[in-house]
Amino acid sequence: MQKLIEEIKKTSSDMARRGWAESNGGNISLRLNKDQFALFDGYSPKSESFPLPVSMPEIAGERFLVTGTGRFLRNIELFPEKNTGVIELDSQGASYRLLWGYEPQGAPTSELPAHLLSHCSIKKKTNNQSFAFIHTHPTNLIALTYAVANLDTKSLSKLLWQSHAECIVVFPAGVEFLPWIMAGSMDLGRATADAISLRNLVIWQYHGICGCGRNLDEAFGRIDVAEKAAEICLKVMAAGGAKQTLTDEQLRAIAANFRCEVDQRLFE
Ligand SMILES: [Zn+2]
């Protein structure tokens, strides 16, 4: 239990210190693996059953560590039992109950639909090997969605790949760009789940990013690299624009060198 809590404390405080989690911005969910799941065996439910907006049989019976609605990520480090909770889905994936946390009372993040629907996609696409999902507000990535005209998945992926030579290795499938959709809505949840089935990072225009990974470190790392690239990109724009950049040939060579499976359609 201590190890699990330490993991979310580390990730949430890193996010807060980077300025990605102002006020109650940003949220984290971790689908518990076999060992983590067993930690909560024998816990009596602390709440009634709350119906989910749609049934999610793909994640029926699973347990998740989820940050709380209205809670500040920067406070998880101090009071994890207040700012995070563990929920358990029923055997149909139609409702959830609280097993632990949100002291003295509370509920999971308002972005729960995006988290749980994305976990369905992530579990399927990684053959049950990925467990972490993070949504956060990195300043430079958000700024980029204002500063560049006509952004789409192809142009944004290429721009980030070109802004730092490591990007194509960390996210060879690129980043999926979602034009603005209302926060907390089922529409955003569904669009994010579809997007994350294609790529490990999803940009929400004017709002932030979502990332997945085998664990919180991997999800955090992917977002961190994309944010660094966005920062470089904005600095280059502020300095008068790129006078040269990585060519398609160089990008393909990096990917080949590190044996990364690049989404070739992003080059077309
Ligand atoms: Zn947000």
Side-chain angles (χ1 to χ4, degrees), residues 19-51:
W20 302 354
E22 70 288 345
S23 180
N24 61 338
N27 26 74
I28 301 171
S29 62
L30 184 69
R31 185 165 61 89
L32 302 189
N33 65 27
K34 212 168 142 229
D35 293 342
Q36 294 161 339
F37 186 98
L39 295 171
F40 297 90
D41 286 349
Y43 276 59
S44 315
K46 282 183 63 184
S47 77
E48 54 183 300
S49 283
F50 297 104

PDB file of all heavy atoms in Angstrom, residues 19-51:
ATOM      1  N   GLY A  19       4.248  23.120 -12.727  1.00  0.00           N
ATOM      2  CA  GLY A  19       3.246  24.127 -13.091  1.00  0.00           C
ATOM      3  C   GLY A  19       2.171  23.593 -14.016  1.00  0.00           C
ATOM      4  O   GLY A  19       1.519  24.347 -14.736  1.00  0.00           O
ATOM      5  N   TRP A  20       1.974  22.274 -13.974  1.00  0.00           N
ATOM      6  CA  TRP A  20       0.961  21.661 -14.841  1.00  0.00           C
ATOM      7  C   TRP A  20      -0.363  21.453 -14.123  1.00  0.00           C
ATOM      8  O   TRP A  20      -1.281  20.882 -14.697  1.00  0.00           O
ATOM      9  CB  TRP A  20       1.390  20.258 -15.296  1.00  0.00           C
ATOM     10  CG  TRP A  20       2.661  20.132 -16.038  1.00  0.00           C
ATOM     11  CD1 TRP A  20       3.497  21.117 -16.493  1.00  0.00           C
ATOM     12  CD2 TRP A  20       3.258  18.892 -16.436  1.00  0.00           C
ATOM     13  NE1 TRP A  20       4.563  20.554 -17.129  1.00  0.00           N
ATOM     14  CE2 TRP A  20       4.450  19.203 -17.119  1.00  0.00           C
ATOM     15  CE3 TRP A  20       2.895  17.541 -16.290  1.00  0.00           C
ATOM     16  CZ2 TRP A  20       5.289  18.220 -17.649  1.00  0.00           C
ATOM     17  CZ3 TRP A  20       3.722  16.578 -16.812  1.00  0.00           C
ATOM     18  CH2 TRP A  20       4.905  16.908 -17.486  1.00  0.00           C
ATOM     19  N   ALA A  21      -0.461  21.827 -12.845  1.00  0.00           N
ATOM     20  CA  ALA A  21      -1.627  21.423 -12.053  1.00  0.00           C
ATOM     21  C   ALA A  21      -2.072  22.557 -11.146  1.00  0.00           C
ATOM     22  O   ALA A  21      -2.172  22.402  -9.934  1.00  0.00           O
ATOM     23  CB  ALA A  21      -1.289  20.178 -11.244  1.00  0.00           C
ATOM     24  N   GLU A  22      -2.352  23.722 -11.744  1.00  0.00           N
ATOM     25  CA  GLU A  22      -2.838  24.862 -10.964  1.00  0.00           C
ATOM     26  C   GLU A  22      -4.194  24.524 -10.351  1.00  0.00           C
ATOM     27  O   GLU A  22      -4.987  23.791 -10.943  1.00  0.00           O
ATOM     28  CB  GLU A  22      -2.939  26.103 -11.870  1.00  0.00           C
ATOM     29  CG  GLU A  22      -4.045  26.071 -12.915  1.00  0.00           C
ATOM     30  CD  GLU A  22      -3.784  25.105 -14.080  1.00  0.00           C
ATOM     31  OE1 GLU A  22      -2.643  24.649 -14.248  1.00  0.00           O
ATOM     32  OE2 GLU A  22      -4.753  24.805 -14.792  1.00  0.00           O
ATOM     33  N   SER A  23      -4.424  25.048  -9.140  1.00  0.00           N
ATOM     34  CA  SER A  23      -5.689  24.804  -8.442  1.00  0.00           C
ATOM     35  C   SER A  23      -6.043  23.308  -8.498  1.00  0.00           C
ATOM     36  O   SER A  23      -5.228  22.467  -8.166  1.00  0.00           O
ATOM     37  CB  SER A  23      -6.778  25.685  -9.070  1.00  0.00           C
ATOM     38  OG  SER A  23      -8.001  25.498  -8.438  1.00  0.00           O
ATOM     39  N   ASN A  24      -7.265  22.995  -8.940  1.00  0.00           N
ATOM     40  CA  ASN A  24      -7.643  21.575  -8.995  1.00  0.00           C
ATOM     41  C   ASN A  24      -7.441  20.982 -10.392  1.00  0.00           C
ATOM     42  O   ASN A  24      -8.050  19.987 -10.752  1.00  0.00           O
ATOM     43  CB  ASN A  24      -9.097  21.384  -8.542  1.00  0.00           C
ATOM     44  CG  ASN A  24     -10.069  22.131  -9.426  1.00  0.00           C
ATOM     45  OD1 ASN A  24      -9.681  23.089 -10.096  1.00  0.00           O
ATOM     46  ND2 ASN A  24     -11.316  21.741  -9.436  1.00  0.00           N
ATOM     47  N   GLY A  25      -6.586  21.632 -11.199  1.00  0.00           N
ATOM     48  CA  GLY A  25      -6.333  21.160 -12.563  1.00  0.00           C
ATOM     49  C   GLY A  25      -5.563  19.852 -12.576  1.00  0.00           C
ATOM     50  O   GLY A  25      -4.712  19.617 -11.723  1.00  0.00           O
ATOM     51  N   GLY A  26      -5.882  19.021 -13.552  1.00  0.00           N
ATOM     52  CA  GLY A  26      -5.164  17.764 -13.745  1.00  0.00           C
ATOM     53  C   GLY A  26      -5.731  16.643 -12.893  1.00  0.00           C
ATOM     54  O   GLY A  26      -6.269  16.886 -11.804  1.00  0.00           O
ATOM     55  N   ASN A  27      -5.653  15.444 -13.408  1.00  0.00           N
ATOM     56  CA  ASN A  27      -6.124  14.279 -12.660  1.00  0.00           C
ATOM     57  C   ASN A  27      -5.409  13.015 -13.137  1.00  0.00           C
ATOM     58  O   ASN A  27      -4.886  12.977 -14.247  1.00  0.00           O
ATOM     59  CB  ASN A  27      -7.654  14.137 -12.752  1.00  0.00           C
ATOM     60  CG  ASN A  27      -8.217  14.765 -14.007  1.00  0.00           C
ATOM     61  OD1 ASN A  27      -8.059  14.209 -15.091  1.00  0.00           O
ATOM     62  ND2 ASN A  27      -8.820  15.938 -13.889  1.00  0.00           N
ATOM     63  N   ILE A  28      -5.393  12.030 -12.257  1.00  0.00           N
ATOM     64  CA  ILE A  28      -4.597  10.824 -12.489  1.00  0.00           C
ATOM     65  C   ILE A  28      -5.470   9.609 -12.185  1.00  0.00           C
ATOM     66  O   ILE A  28      -6.238   9.634 -11.216  1.00  0.00           O
ATOM     67  CB  ILE A  28      -3.385  10.792 -11.519  1.00  0.00           C
ATOM     68  CG1 ILE A  28      -2.490  12.019 -11.703  1.00  0.00           C
ATOM     69  CG2 ILE A  28      -2.586   9.506 -11.662  1.00  0.00           C
ATOM     70  CD1 ILE A  28      -1.410  12.153 -10.622  1.00  0.00           C
ATOM     71  N   SER A  29      -5.327   8.557 -12.996  1.00  0.00           N
ATOM     72  CA  SER A  29      -5.927   7.283 -12.600  1.00  0.00           C
ATOM     73  C   SER A  29      -4.962   6.150 -12.909  1.00  0.00           C
ATOM     74  O   SER A  29      -4.252   6.180 -13.910  1.00  0.00           O
ATOM     75  CB  SER A  29      -7.268   7.050 -13.314  1.00  0.00           C
ATOM     76  OG  SER A  29      -7.067   6.990 -14.705  1.00  0.00           O
ATOM     77  N   LEU A  30      -4.955   5.187 -12.019  1.00  0.00           N
ATOM     78  CA  LEU A  30      -4.095   4.019 -12.179  1.00  0.00           C
ATOM     79  C   LEU A  30      -4.960   2.777 -11.997  1.00  0.00           C
ATOM     80  O   LEU A  30      -5.567   2.585 -10.932  1.00  0.00           O
ATOM     81  CB  LEU A  30      -2.984   4.056 -11.118  1.00  0.00           C
ATOM     82  CG  LEU A  30      -1.946   2.949 -11.196  1.00  0.00           C
ATOM     83  CD1 LEU A  30      -1.063   3.116 -12.443  1.00  0.00           C
ATOM     84  CD2 LEU A  30      -1.064   2.953  -9.947  1.00  0.00           C
ATOM     85  N   ARG A  31      -5.042   1.971 -13.067  1.00  0.00           N
ATOM     86  CA  ARG A  31      -5.739   0.672 -12.934  1.00  0.00           C
ATOM     87  C   ARG A  31      -4.810  -0.223 -12.128  1.00  0.00           C
ATOM     88  O   ARG A  31      -3.619  -0.322 -12.447  1.00  0.00           O
ATOM     89  CB  ARG A  31      -6.011   0.104 -14.333  1.00  0.00           C
ATOM     90  CG  ARG A  31      -6.834  -1.163 -14.335  1.00  0.00           C
ATOM     91  CD  ARG A  31      -7.367  -1.464 -15.741  1.00  0.00           C
ATOM     92  NE  ARG A  31      -6.317  -1.673 -16.726  1.00  0.00           N
ATOM     93  CZ  ARG A  31      -5.756  -2.850 -17.003  1.00  0.00           C
ATOM     94  NH1 ARG A  31      -6.123  -3.937 -16.351  1.00  0.00           N
ATOM     95  NH2 ARG A  31      -4.823  -2.952 -17.934  1.00  0.00           N
ATOM     96  N   LEU A  32      -5.332  -0.812 -11.071  1.00  0.00           N
ATOM     97  CA  LEU A  32      -4.446  -1.567 -10.177  1.00  0.00           C
ATOM     98  C   LEU A  32      -4.050  -2.901 -10.803  1.00  0.00           C
ATOM     99  O   LEU A  32      -4.898  -3.619 -11.353  1.00  0.00           O
ATOM    100  CB  LEU A  32      -5.119  -1.784  -8.816  1.00  0.00           C
ATOM    101  CG  LEU A  32      -5.541  -0.500  -8.080  1.00  0.00           C
ATOM    102  CD1 LEU A  32      -5.989  -0.840  -6.655  1.00  0.00           C
ATOM    103  CD2 LEU A  32      -4.415   0.541  -8.034  1.00  0.00           C
ATOM    104  N   ASN A  33      -2.751  -3.203 -10.748  1.00  0.00           N
ATOM    105  CA  ASN A  33      -2.290  -4.499 -11.253  1.00  0.00           C
ATOM    106  C   ASN A  33      -2.618  -5.575 -10.211  1.00  0.00           C
ATOM    107  O   ASN A  33      -3.181  -5.281  -9.152  1.00  0.00           O
ATOM    108  CB  ASN A  33      -0.807  -4.444 -11.620  1.00  0.00           C
ATOM    109  CG  ASN A  33       0.089  -4.198 -10.413  1.00  0.00           C
ATOM    110  OD1 ASN A  33      -0.273  -4.553  -9.292  1.00  0.00           O
ATOM    111  ND2 ASN A  33       1.243  -3.596 -10.646  1.00  0.00           N
ATOM    112  N   LYS A  34      -2.249  -6.812 -10.520  1.00  0.00           N
ATOM    113  CA  LYS A  34      -2.658  -7.944  -9.669  1.00  0.00           C
ATOM    114  C   LYS A  34      -2.274  -7.735  -8.196  1.00  0.00           C
ATOM    115  O   LYS A  34      -3.090  -7.914  -7.291  1.00  0.00           O
ATOM    116  CB  LYS A  34      -1.995  -9.213 -10.222  1.00  0.00           C
ATOM    117  CG  LYS A  34      -2.805 -10.446 -10.023  1.00  0.00           C
ATOM    118  CD  LYS A  34      -2.224 -11.590 -10.847  1.00  0.00           C
ATOM    119  CE  LYS A  34      -2.331 -12.869 -10.032  1.00  0.00           C
ATOM    120  NZ  LYS A  34      -1.116 -13.634  -9.963  1.00  0.00           N
ATOM    121  N   ASP A  35      -1.031  -7.339  -7.982  1.00  0.00           N
ATOM    122  CA  ASP A  35      -0.557  -7.176  -6.598  1.00  0.00           C
ATOM    123  C   ASP A  35      -1.233  -5.998  -5.904  1.00  0.00           C
ATOM    124  O   ASP A  35      -1.622  -6.090  -4.739  1.00  0.00           O
ATOM    125  CB  ASP A  35       0.965  -6.949  -6.572  1.00  0.00           C
ATOM    126  CG  ASP A  35       1.702  -8.192  -7.024  1.00  0.00           C
ATOM    127  OD1 ASP A  35       1.068  -9.276  -7.010  1.00  0.00           O
ATOM    128  OD2 ASP A  35       2.882  -8.089  -7.410  1.00  0.00           O
ATOM    129  N   GLN A  36      -1.357  -4.883  -6.637  1.00  0.00           N
ATOM    130  CA  GLN A  36      -2.001  -3.692  -6.057  1.00  0.00           C
ATOM    131  C   GLN A  36      -3.480  -3.973  -5.782  1.00  0.00           C
ATOM    132  O   GLN A  36      -4.026  -3.542  -4.763  1.00  0.00           O
ATOM    133  CB  GLN A  36      -1.863  -2.508  -7.021  1.00  0.00           C
ATOM    134  CG  GLN A  36      -0.426  -2.047  -7.219  1.00  0.00           C
ATOM    135  CD  GLN A  36      -0.251  -1.207  -8.477  1.00  0.00           C
ATOM    136  OE1 GLN A  36      -1.062  -1.257  -9.401  1.00  0.00           O
ATOM    137  NE2 GLN A  36       0.815  -0.428  -8.517  1.00  0.00           N
ATOM    138  N   PHE A  37      -4.107  -4.706  -6.700  1.00  0.00           N
ATOM    139  CA  PHE A  37      -5.528  -5.060  -6.561  1.00  0.00           C
ATOM    140  C   PHE A  37      -5.746  -5.797  -5.241  1.00  0.00           C
ATOM    141  O   PHE A  37      -6.662  -5.496  -4.473  1.00  0.00           O
ATOM    142  CB  PHE A  37      -5.930  -5.948  -7.752  1.00  0.00           C
ATOM    143  CG  PHE A  37      -7.382  -6.279  -7.835  1.00  0.00           C
ATOM    144  CD1 PHE A  37      -8.234  -5.564  -8.668  1.00  0.00           C
ATOM    145  CD2 PHE A  37      -7.925  -7.321  -7.081  1.00  0.00           C
ATOM    146  CE1 PHE A  37      -9.580  -5.872  -8.756  1.00  0.00           C
ATOM    147  CE2 PHE A  37      -9.273  -7.630  -7.154  1.00  0.00           C
ATOM    148  CZ  PHE A  37     -10.096  -6.904  -7.996  1.00  0.00           C
ATOM    149  N   ALA A  38      -4.855  -6.761  -4.969  1.00  0.00           N
ATOM    150  CA  ALA A  38      -5.005  -7.616  -3.786  1.00  0.00           C
ATOM    151  C   ALA A  38      -4.890  -6.829  -2.475  1.00  0.00           C
ATOM    152  O   ALA A  38      -5.404  -7.267  -1.442  1.00  0.00           O
ATOM    153  CB  ALA A  38      -3.966  -8.732  -3.823  1.00  0.00           C
ATOM    154  N   LEU A  39      -4.241  -5.655  -2.531  1.00  0.00           N
ATOM    155  CA  LEU A  39      -4.100  -4.840  -1.321  1.00  0.00           C
ATOM    156  C   LEU A  39      -5.461  -4.435  -0.741  1.00  0.00           C
ATOM    157  O   LEU A  39      -5.577  -4.146   0.442  1.00  0.00           O
ATOM    158  CB  LEU A  39      -3.319  -3.550  -1.639  1.00  0.00           C
ATOM    159  CG  LEU A  39      -1.865  -3.693  -2.056  1.00  0.00           C
ATOM    160  CD1 LEU A  39      -1.325  -2.350  -2.541  1.00  0.00           C
ATOM    161  CD2 LEU A  39      -1.043  -4.207  -0.883  1.00  0.00           C
ATOM    162  N   PHE A  40      -6.480  -4.381  -1.608  1.00  0.00           N
ATOM    163  CA  PHE A  40      -7.794  -3.895  -1.161  1.00  0.00           C
ATOM    164  C   PHE A  40      -8.812  -5.027  -0.986  1.00  0.00           C
ATOM    165  O   PHE A  40      -9.995  -4.768  -0.775  1.00  0.00           O
ATOM    166  CB  PHE A  40      -8.300  -2.807  -2.122  1.00  0.00           C
ATOM    167  CG  PHE A  40      -7.388  -1.605  -2.109  1.00  0.00           C
ATOM    168  CD1 PHE A  40      -6.318  -1.521  -2.993  1.00  0.00           C
ATOM    169  CD2 PHE A  40      -7.553  -0.607  -1.157  1.00  0.00           C
ATOM    170  CE1 PHE A  40      -5.436  -0.449  -2.954  1.00  0.00           C
ATOM    171  CE2 PHE A  40      -6.680   0.471  -1.106  1.00  0.00           C
ATOM    172  CZ  PHE A  40      -5.609   0.552  -2.004  1.00  0.00           C
ATOM    173  N   ASP A  41      -8.348  -6.277  -1.061  1.00  0.00           N
ATOM    174  CA  ASP A  41      -9.231  -7.409  -0.775  1.00  0.00           C
ATOM    175  C   ASP A  41      -9.674  -7.272   0.688  1.00  0.00           C
ATOM    176  O   ASP A  41      -8.869  -6.922   1.544  1.00  0.00           O
ATOM    177  CB  ASP A  41      -8.481  -8.739  -0.939  1.00  0.00           C
ATOM    178  CG  ASP A  41      -8.262  -9.067  -2.417  1.00  0.00           C
ATOM    179  OD1 ASP A  41      -8.861  -8.393  -3.270  1.00  0.00           O
ATOM    180  OD2 ASP A  41      -7.477  -9.994  -2.684  1.00  0.00           O
ATOM    181  N   GLY A  42     -10.935  -7.537   0.926  1.00  0.00           N
ATOM    182  CA  GLY A  42     -11.400  -7.480   2.312  1.00  0.00           C
ATOM    183  C   GLY A  42     -11.809  -6.088   2.764  1.00  0.00           C
ATOM    184  O   GLY A  42     -12.290  -5.924   3.882  1.00  0.00           O
ATOM    185  N   TYR A  43     -11.614  -5.073   1.924  1.00  0.00           N
ATOM    186  CA  TYR A  43     -12.105  -3.730   2.275  1.00  0.00           C
ATOM    187  C   TYR A  43     -13.619  -3.685   2.042  1.00  0.00           C
ATOM    188  O   TYR A  43     -14.077  -4.089   0.973  1.00  0.00           O
ATOM    189  CB  TYR A  43     -11.439  -2.652   1.413  1.00  0.00           C
ATOM    190  CG  TYR A  43     -10.089  -2.193   1.911  1.00  0.00           C
ATOM    191  CD1 TYR A  43      -9.042  -3.097   2.067  1.00  0.00           C
ATOM    192  CD2 TYR A  43      -9.854  -0.856   2.208  1.00  0.00           C
ATOM    193  CE1 TYR A  43      -7.797  -2.675   2.519  1.00  0.00           C
ATOM    194  CE2 TYR A  43      -8.617  -0.420   2.653  1.00  0.00           C
ATOM    195  CZ  TYR A  43      -7.600  -1.332   2.807  1.00  0.00           C
ATOM    196  OH  TYR A  43      -6.376  -0.911   3.247  1.00  0.00           O
ATOM    197  N   SER A  44     -14.371  -3.175   3.005  1.00  0.00           N
ATOM    198  CA  SER A  44     -15.814  -3.033   2.790  1.00  0.00           C
ATOM    199  C   SER A  44     -16.057  -1.754   2.017  1.00  0.00           C
ATOM    200  O   SER A  44     -15.375  -0.756   2.260  1.00  0.00           O
ATOM    201  CB  SER A  44     -16.560  -2.910   4.117  1.00  0.00           C
ATOM    202  OG  SER A  44     -16.073  -3.857   5.003  1.00  0.00           O
ATOM    203  N   PRO A  45     -17.047  -1.768   1.107  1.00  0.00           N
ATOM    204  CA  PRO A  45     -17.340  -0.543   0.352  1.00  0.00           C
ATOM    205  C   PRO A  45     -17.691   0.606   1.293  1.00  0.00           C
ATOM    206  O   PRO A  45     -18.408   0.410   2.271  1.00  0.00           O
ATOM    207  CB  PRO A  45     -18.537  -0.930  -0.497  1.00  0.00           C
ATOM    208  CG  PRO A  45     -18.564  -2.413  -0.497  1.00  0.00           C
ATOM    209  CD  PRO A  45     -17.879  -2.889   0.730  1.00  0.00           C
ATOM    210  N   LYS A  46     -17.170   1.776   0.975  1.00  0.00           N
ATOM    211  CA  LYS A  46     -17.412   2.969   1.806  1.00  0.00           C
ATOM    212  C   LYS A  46     -18.559   3.804   1.262  1.00  0.00           C
ATOM    213  O   LYS A  46     -18.842   4.868   1.788  1.00  0.00           O
ATOM    214  CB  LYS A  46     -16.156   3.854   1.794  1.00  0.00           C
ATOM    215  CG  LYS A  46     -15.045   3.375   2.692  1.00  0.00           C
ATOM    216  CD  LYS A  46     -13.894   4.356   2.654  1.00  0.00           C
ATOM    217  CE  LYS A  46     -14.292   5.721   3.188  1.00  0.00           C
ATOM    218  NZ  LYS A  46     -13.236   6.725   3.088  1.00  0.00           N
ATOM    219  N   SER A  47     -19.110   3.376   0.121  1.00  0.00           N
ATOM    220  CA  SER A  47     -20.172   4.188  -0.496  1.00  0.00           C
ATOM    221  C   SER A  47     -21.212   3.276  -1.124  1.00  0.00           C
ATOM    222  O   SER A  47     -20.984   2.078  -1.293  1.00  0.00           O
ATOM    223  CB  SER A  47     -19.577   5.098  -1.581  1.00  0.00           C
ATOM    224  OG  SER A  47     -19.311   4.344  -2.749  1.00  0.00           O
ATOM    225  N   GLU A  48     -22.343   3.901  -1.509  1.00  0.00           N
ATOM    226  CA  GLU A  48     -23.324   3.188  -2.322  1.00  0.00           C
ATOM    227  C   GLU A  48     -22.744   3.002  -3.720  1.00  0.00           C
ATOM    228  O   GLU A  48     -21.639   3.495  -4.009  1.00  0.00           O
ATOM    229  CB  GLU A  48     -24.606   4.016  -2.397  1.00  0.00           C
ATOM    230  CG  GLU A  48     -24.313   5.434  -2.885  1.00  0.00           C
ATOM    231  CD  GLU A  48     -25.505   6.370  -2.921  1.00  0.00           C
ATOM    232  OE1 GLU A  48     -26.462   6.045  -3.638  1.00  0.00           O
ATOM    233  OE2 GLU A  48     -25.448   7.420  -2.263  1.00  0.00           O
ATOM    234  N   SER A  49     -23.486   2.322  -4.604  1.00  0.00           N
ATOM    235  CA  SER A  49     -23.045   2.162  -5.994  1.00  0.00           C
ATOM    236  C   SER A  49     -23.466   3.378  -6.802  1.00  0.00           C
ATOM    237  O   SER A  49     -24.619   3.800  -6.718  1.00  0.00           O
ATOM    238  CB  SER A  49     -23.712   0.940  -6.619  1.00  0.00           C
ATOM    239  OG  SER A  49     -23.091  -0.199  -6.153  1.00  0.00           O
ATOM    240  N   PHE A  50     -22.545   3.903  -7.572  1.00  0.00           N
ATOM    241  CA  PHE A  50     -22.861   5.026  -8.457  1.00  0.00           C
ATOM    242  C   PHE A  50     -22.835   4.520  -9.894  1.00  0.00           C
ATOM    243  O   PHE A  50     -21.834   3.932 -10.309  1.00  0.00           O
ATOM    244  CB  PHE A  50     -21.839   6.152  -8.290  1.00  0.00           C
ATOM    245  CG  PHE A  50     -21.829   6.741  -6.910  1.00  0.00           C
ATOM    246  CD1 PHE A  50     -20.822   6.420  -6.015  1.00  0.00           C
ATOM    247  CD2 PHE A  50     -22.837   7.605  -6.501  1.00  0.00           C
ATOM    248  CE1 PHE A  50     -20.813   6.945  -4.730  1.00  0.00           C
ATOM    249  CE2 PHE A  50     -22.835   8.145  -5.212  1.00  0.00           C
ATOM    250  CZ  PHE A  50     -21.826   7.805  -4.326  1.00  0.00           C
ATOM    251  N   PRO A  51     -23.925   4.746 -10.656  1.00  0.00           N
ATOM    252  CA  PRO A  51     -23.920   4.248 -12.037  1.00  0.00           C
ATOM    253  C   PRO A  51     -22.933   5.015 -12.913  1.00  0.00           C
ATOM    254  O   PRO A  51     -22.767   6.230 -12.742  1.00  0.00           O
ATOM    255  CB  PRO A  51     -25.356   4.483 -12.511  1.00  0.00           C
ATOM    256  CG  PRO A  51     -25.901   5.525 -11.600  1.00  0.00           C
ATOM    257  CD  PRO A  51     -25.157   5.442 -10.304  1.00  0.00           C
TER     258      PRO A  51
END
